[in-house]
Amino acid sequence: MEPAAIIKAIKSCLPKESSSPVPLHQPSFSGNEWKYVKECLDTGWVSSVGKYVDEFEDQLQETTGAKFAIAVVSGTAALHLCLHLCGVKKDDEVLVPALAFVAVANAVSYCNAVPHFVDCEERTLGVDPVGLESYLEQTSEIKHGECFNKFSGRRIRALIAVHTFGHPVDLDSVLSVCRRFKIELIEDAAESLGSTYKGKYTGCWGRVSALSFNGNKIITTGGGGAILTQDEDLARQAKHLSTTAKEPHPWRYFHDKRGYNYRLPNINAALGCAQLEQLPEFIQNKRELSARYKKAFDDYLGVKFFQEPEFAKSNYWLNVLLLDEEYSHHLESILKLCTSEGLMVRPAWALLNTLPMFETCPQAKLPIAESLVRRILNIPSSATLGASNAQT
Ligand SMILES: *Cc1c(COP(=O)(O)O)cnc(C)c1O
């Protein structure tokens, strides 16, 4: 377990002609991007109305198997509306994995609700359903068909399950805990577009789900996101709320609630349509790259390449090396050496409960998240790296 040897092993999986530095995750625009975006400019349909928004939503439905997809300006906006749609109100609590991107807890706070941090499991890097169930047995009670935190007295309305780095959580078990405790499941599938759990796509299991098409995600619209749901009424509400809650009318401006300007512009959707056409190819390339990493780190002392859980087929959005606990003190030196050697790598996010604005939020014991955050190293994962031949 030598940092220099780890870097050599990573490099052996990358194409010979890799640019330096090798980015962590780079978008690829080799399809119809120019054509579709040019059409928006040529026709003047660049903003919140246009055929690409509808087309993008149709394609998202086809790609994920969700009945309804509503395109919005970001993954964060999608999460915000998902919480709204699940009835999250001021002073409610929402269960959030401590190991997650800050947007998840931010979205909860936009609703004036309180994130309540829970632990994850090493098998998926996502929420641990077994730990969650026993935690809720100890800390919550059901009153009038709703779940309450016995200690804070606040209602626990929802759980946001994040499919971390593209790897699905154990959705059947998570769903059964949610049903037992009368909690709504929101999937954060921002990182897991195209990943399946027991043969069905992530994003189709929660009452509502959020996707992101930010520049670093598996497909990008520049910036963008979407809400997925199977529920026609929620889909209608999502579209209404994201378009300033304006009554459909040829000239009258009448808004029947406090809405948001969250609709994805046509020019971004055009980019999204071109990107979605290439999603199968991106996933194939990413899985090829991950297979090479897996081989390079098979039987490697002190570090393992994180693989999809047995019930899932992952998109391998961001590849993960997991250091053994006794070698976790090497993480800093590996990060340093990779940076100086032209490999863009990064550690996991700081746990959300350690951020100043969320420090005082309720939290479960977080032993696994605290261990994982010392041991996770994200390594170069662009789809283009998988496509070409590796050095070895
Ligand atoms: C990227 C991301 C988001 C937020 O998406 P934006 O489009 O950047 O707002 C939310 N959750 C997770 C897990 C993400 O990776």
Side-chain angles (χ1 to χ4, degrees):
M1 162 73 202
E2 276 298 315
I6 288 184
I7 287 159
K8 197 162 162 235
I10 297 174
K11 283 190 171 167
S12 76
C13 301
L14 305 178
K16 275 196 211 63
E17 67 280 12
S18 294
S19 65
S20 185
V22 182
L24 186 66
H25 198 284
Q26 203 177 26
S28 151
F29 302 115
S30 45
N32 287 317
E33 286 86 354
W34 281 99
K35 183 173 160 208
Y36 296 169
V37 170
K38 184 173 185 302
E39 194 192 313
C40 293
L41 297 173
D42 288 343
T43 59
W45 292 103
V46 295
S47 196
S48 47
V49 184
K51 70 166 192 180
Y52 283 114
V53 180
D54 297 332
E55 244 176 72
F56 187 48
E57 289 176 338
D58 287 347
Q59 283 181 30
L60 281 173
Q61 285 159 206
E62 250 168 67
T63 303
T64 61
K67 277 214 184 106
F68 302 97
I70 299 91
V72 294
V73 289
S74 70
T76 309
L79 281 170
H80 183 194
L81 290 187
C82 283
L83 289 159
H84 233 295
L85 296 167
C86 286
V88 172
K89 302 255 160 40
K90 185 173 186 308
D91 293 332
D92 282 342
E93 289 182 10
V94 175
L95 302 171
V96 166
L99 181 69
F101 183 52
V102 68
V104 184
N106 280 343
V108 174
S109 67
Y110 298 164
C111 299
N112 297 308
V114 180
H116 182 153
F117 299 112
V118 294
D119 206 9
C120 44
E121 60 170 338
E122 183 157 336
R123 180 173 65 137
T124 65
L125 307 177
V127 62
D128 168 19
V130 177
L132 181 65
E133 182 157 36
S134 58
Y135 179 66
L136 287 172
E137 279 169 6
Q138 292 155 30
T139 57
S140 76
E141 56 191 348
I142 308 284
K143 283 191 288 191
H144 313 297
E146 295 187 316
C147 186
F148 286 84
N149 180 334
K150 276 202 282 200
F151 299 100
S152 66
R154 288 185 290 242
R155 183 172 70 152
I156 302 177
R157 189 70 190 133
L159 161 71
I160 302 179
V162 181
H163 303 300
T164 314
F165 307 133
H167 299 295
V169 303
D170 185 354
L171 279 158
D172 275 338
S173 309
V174 169
L175 265 169
S176 87
V177 176
C178 286
R179 285 196 191 107
R180 179 177 162 197
F181 288 92
K182 320 284 181 204
I183 292 171
E184 299 282 11
L185 175 65
I186 299 171
E187 283 179 82
D188 180 342
E191 304 179 352
S192 66
L193 181 65
S195 300
T196 58
Y197 173 80
K198 297 186 179 171
K200 195 174 131 186
Y201 287 106
T202 57
C204 288
W205 300 74
R207 183 139 159 82
V208 281
S209 305
L211 302 178
S212 166
F213 313 115
N214 195 12
N216 61 350
K217 297 301 194 309
I218 190 161
I219 68 157
T220 186
T221 57
I227 296 158
L228 303 180
T229 183
Q230 313 298 324
D231 183 319
E232 185 166 7
D233 184 52
L234 289 183
R236 196 188 43 74
Q237 287 184 50
K239 192 161 173 178
H240 190 57
L241 284 169
S242 68
T243 47
T244 65
K246 183 183 177 296
E247 251 188 8
H249 192 277
W251 57 81
R252 201 169 58 195
Y253 281 92
F254 186 80
H255 310 261
D256 60 6
K257 343 181 128 50
R258 187 180 66 173
Y260 301 89
N261 179 15
Y262 277 176
R263 199 74 174 134
L264 186 73
N266 198 50
I267 192 164
N268 300 81
L271 202 49
C273 287
Q275 287 270 288
L276 259 187
E277 290 168 357
Q278 299 161 83
L279 180 65
E281 184 191 325
F282 291 164
I283 293 177
Q284 191 189 334
N285 290 341
K286 283 158 106 31
R287 290 183 62 86
E288 273 172 33
L289 177 62
S290 70
R292 294 207 292 266
Y293 280 138
K294 177 190 170 314
K295 205 157 150 236
F297 287 96
D298 252 354
D299 306 318
Y300 203 96
L301 181 71
V303 50
K304 70 171 197 273
F305 178 71
F306 186 87
Q307 286 172 67
E308 62 199 355
E310 70 284 358
F311 43 63
K313 193 166 178 214
S314 300
N315 66 5
Y316 283 92
W317 170 59
L318 268 196
N319 290 298
V320 175
L321 285 183
L322 206 52
L323 306 187
D324 288 356
E325 190 68 72
E326 71 255 48
Y327 295 107
S328 61
H329 60 281
H330 283 301
L331 185 64
E332 252 343 273
S333 51
I334 297 171
L335 285 161
K336 237 184 234 151
L337 195 60
C338 281
T339 308
S340 68
E341 293 263 327
L343 285 182
M344 283 183 63
V345 294
R346 69 168 198 207
W349 314 281
L351 295 184
L352 295 176
N353 58 301
T354 67
L355 304 180
M357 59 289 194
F358 300 126
E359 255 169 13
T360 58
C361 294
Q363 57 178 78
K365 290 211 164 60
L366 305 166
I368 307 297
E370 282 162 2
S371 164
L372 286 173
V373 87
R374 289 191 290 268
R375 298 161 48 215
I376 287 175
L377 181 74
N378 286 129
I379 56 177
S381 300
S382 310
T384 44
L385 297 174
S388 359
N389 293 322
Q391 285 180 5
T392 53

